């Protein structure tokens, strides 16, 4: 066995790949598995984006390296999006960077900010990449508690003074994965205040900002006063435009943080293929009607699943964003045991809340990433769990 770093060997396996292995095994035994665990859209990328890619791919001028920070057209499209949506002014040259998917940027930003041994505040429950990125960067994680009773609002004043003093980084994510929680501007105002007071870089992950329901518009952290002094926001086209495999995202905000990230990145990658960036620009400059069509699809699925859960005695309020349902597991069972029963007895994959942090263990996440028919079938099968004693 060749040498492997402790940083890598001490990382827990990416939970989603563990479930995919189990799924493969069951499928090889002929079990029809319905996968509500995948946090990605099943819908195709809108045609106008594919057309733009095809057009740009035919131009030899687009076959060369992109500039390190991404092409001008893409960065300007991001600036235009912020201006139209949030009335936030951004300089495309110094305050925006193209990313090879936002996950890449989130992970590399930990390397750009943290010195070994420094602390990052990571929401619990939260997207697992924050924690592993901090670990790979040589930092340590302190959980930022969220208030389950108040739509998973961060409890900034539950973080001890010592932890604030050790922290150099804080992640937030609204609309949130896995909780589907949304916030109003005041939460970001408070986050910026705390971040400035303790000199902590504030990284807001806005992967689901365009997937919202019932007239709710997700705020941007960059709308808050003084945000550009300490904060950046990560955006993604993956979830809103069904572009997960394309690998295109961006980060916007504080120029020192953007500069630091661009130094890490320019020593690691050379940005995304230009036609992908240009197709991404077309998506961001569009009227977002394609996103609205997606929202309509998810809303229908959401109501089917919420109704099914209600029949099972599991009450969940309709989320204002994301394509996730975050639901309590029945009394007296851990989330992993519940997920295992779901898979073994119903052939349905859901994600146990423990995958997202210790406080997630009383919950499970359903991803609305299959069509209505399959969702109804999954709901029907889930009743098996109710008919047996727990
Ligand atoms: C999917 C997801 C991402 C990553 O998206 P990419 O842009 O495809 O890398 C980031 N954050 C959260 C919370 C996600 O769910």
């Amino acid at each position: 066995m060749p040498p492997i770093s402790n940083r890598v060997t001490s990382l827990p396996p990416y939970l989603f790949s563990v479930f995919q292995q189990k799924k493969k095994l069951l499928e090889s035994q002929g079990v029809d598995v319905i996968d509500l665990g995948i946090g990605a859209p099943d819908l195709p990328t809108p045609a106008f984006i594919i057309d733009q890619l095809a057009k740009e791919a035919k131009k030899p001028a687009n076959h060369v390296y992109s500039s390190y920070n991404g092409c001008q057209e893409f960065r300007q499209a991001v600036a235009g999006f912020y201006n139209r949506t949030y009335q936030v002014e951004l300089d495309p040259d110094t305050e925006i960077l193209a990313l090879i998917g936002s996950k890449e940027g989130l992970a590399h930003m930990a390397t750009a900010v943290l010195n070994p041994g420094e602390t990052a505040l990571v929401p619990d429950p939260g997207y697992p990449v924050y924690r592993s990125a901090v670990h790979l960067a040589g930092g340590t994680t302190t959980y930022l508690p969220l208030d389950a009773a108040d739509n998973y609002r961060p409890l900034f004043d539950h973080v001890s003074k010592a932890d604030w003093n050790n922290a150099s980084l804080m992640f937030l994510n609204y609309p949130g994965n896995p909780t589907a929680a949304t916030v109003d501007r005041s939460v970001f105002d408070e986050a910026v205040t705390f971040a400035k007071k303790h000199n902590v870089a504030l990284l807001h992950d806005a992967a689901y900002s365009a997937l919202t329901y019932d007239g709710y518009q997700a705020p941007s952290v960059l709308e808050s006063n003084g945000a550009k002094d300490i904060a950046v926001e990560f955006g993604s086209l993956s979830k809103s435009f069904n572009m997960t495999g394309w690998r295109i995202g961006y980060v916007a905000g504080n120029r020192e943080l953007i500069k630091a990230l661009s130094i890490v990145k320019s020593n690691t990658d050379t940005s995304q293929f230009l036609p992908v960036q240009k197709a991404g620009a077309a998506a961001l400059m569009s009227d977002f009607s394609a996103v609205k069509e997606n929202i309509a699809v998810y809303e229908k699925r959401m109501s089917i699943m919420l109704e099914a859960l209600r029949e099972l005695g599991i009450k969940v309020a309709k989320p204002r964003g994301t394509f996730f349902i975050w639901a309590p597991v029945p009394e007296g069972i851990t989330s992993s045991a519940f997920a295992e029963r779901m898979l073994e007895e119903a052939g349905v994959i859901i994600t146990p809340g423990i995958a997202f942090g210790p406080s997630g263990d009383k919950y499970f996440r359903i991803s609305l990433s299959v069509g209505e028919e399959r969702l109804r079938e999954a709901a029907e099968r889930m009743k098996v769990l109710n008919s047996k004693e727990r």
Side-chain angles (χ1 to χ4, degrees):
M1 168 123 169
I4 306 289
S5 84
N6 295 337
R7 275 192 310 279
V8 168
T9 52
S10 60
L11 265 184
Y14 201 55
L15 191 114
F16 301 94
S17 53
V18 174
F19 266 87
Q20 290 314 306
Q21 277 165 17
K22 271 195 185 169
K23 178 184 171 184
K24 264 196 196 140
L25 183 72
L26 281 172
E27 282 178 340
S28 74
Q29 295 163 353
V31 179
D32 170 34
V33 178
I34 303 180
D35 194 344
L36 305 181
I38 299 176
D42 58 314
L43 306 167
T45 305
F48 77 95
I49 301 173
I50 299 170
D51 291 346
Q52 192 70 30
L53 173 81
K55 201 173 117 195
E56 299 294 345
K58 285 179 186 148
K59 299 179 188 164
N62 285 337
H63 300 169
V64 300
Y65 284 127
S66 162
S67 68
Y68 287 114
N69 57 353
C71 72
Q72 186 71 22
E73 202 173 323
F74 181 74
R75 286 180 283 110
Q76 258 164 5
V78 175
F81 166 72
Y82 268 91
N83 199 314
R84 265 181 285 126
T85 317
Y86 305 111
Q87 291 77 53
V88 167
E89 294 282 343
L90 291 167
D91 175 2
D93 292 330
T94 56
E95 295 177 327
I96 296 171
L97 204 62
L99 300 173
I100 308 173
S102 61
K103 184 181 187 177
E104 173 266 298
L106 285 158
H108 281 138
M109 190 61 106
T111 298
V113 171
L114 291 168
N115 286 306
E118 284 178 359
T119 298
L121 296 172
V122 170
D124 172 28
Y127 185 51
V129 168
Y130 310 142
R131 192 161 191 238
S132 29
V134 168
H135 176 81
L136 289 173
T140 55
T141 289
T142 297
Y143 283 120
L144 171 64
L146 309 177
D147 187 358
D150 187 11
N151 212 5
Y152 290 92
R153 194 186 168 90
L155 294 164
F156 297 115
D157 47 19
H158 287 212
V159 175
S160 74
K161 208 168 172 214
D163 283 337
W164 273 118
N165 288 339
N166 288 336
S168 352
L169 191 65
M170 163 164 66
F171 291 94
L172 290 180
N173 168 221
Y174 297 99
N177 177 10
T179 61
T182 52
V183 292
D184 298 321
R185 236 308 270 280
S186 64
V187 168
F188 290 146
D189 293 345
E190 198 188 358
V192 169
T193 304
F194 270 90
K196 283 183 133 180
K197 182 172 169 204
H198 299 283
N199 197 32
V200 169
L202 172 55
L203 315 188
H204 180 238
D205 178 353
Y208 297 91
S209 65
L211 288 178
T212 57
Y213 309 107
D214 299 325
Y216 168 74
Q217 198 204 42
S220 161
V221 73
L222 300 180
E223 290 176 276
S224 293
N225 273 337
K228 271 204 220 172
D229 298 336
I230 199 80
V232 290
E233 187 157 79
F234 291 81
S236 172
L237 283 80
S238 293
K239 314 296 164 60
S240 42
F241 288 98
N242 312 328
M243 293 176 72
T244 52
W246 294 57
R247 312 312 302 132
I248 184 76
Y250 52 84
V251 57
N254 177 267
R255 61 182 68 198
E256 285 83 15
L257 288 170
I258 301 261
K259 178 91 195 288
L261 178 58
S262 80
I263 291 170
V264 174
K265 277 177 60 59
S266 63
N267 284 284
T268 311
D269 63 62
T270 314
S271 198
Q272 181 50 277
F273 185 40
L274 285 165
V276 170
Q277 293 188 51
K278 290 179 182 184
L284 288 172
M285 289 187 298
S286 74
D287 61 5
F288 278 57
S289 55
V291 182
K292 288 185 193 98
E293 284 168 28
N294 286 346
I295 289 171
V297 171
Y298 293 132
E299 254 191 317
K300 266 194 175 169
R301 293 177 181 178
M302 184 84 75
S303 62
I304 290 169
M305 197 32 94
L306 288 176
E307 179 55 35
L309 290 174
R310 214 168 295 134
E311 280 173 28
L312 289 169
I314 301 173
K315 284 200 194 83
V316 184
K318 185 184 174 192
R320 289 195 294 181
T322 76
F323 42 63
F324 299 120
I325 294 174
W326 180 246
V329 295
E331 280 293 325
I333 185 167
T334 65
S335 63
S336 320
F338 183 69
E340 227 154 276
R341 281 195 59 186
M342 275 279 228
L343 183 52
E344 275 157 25
E345 294 171 31
V348 174
I349 296 184
I350 48 95
T351 311
I354 190 76
F356 304 100
S359 78
D361 206 17
K362 290 192 164 72
Y363 298 86
F364 65 102
R365 190 193 74 179
I366 288 176
S367 176
L368 299 169
S369 52
V370 302
E372 289 177 31
E373 274 311 298
R374 292 293 272 170
L375 218 48
R376 284 207 177 86
E377 165 75 19
E380 199 52 42
R381 290 194 204 169
M382 281 158 66
K383 289 183 185 159
V384 173
L385 278 92
N386 239 23
S387 60
K388 292 184 191 167
E389 62 176 285
R390 290 185 182 132

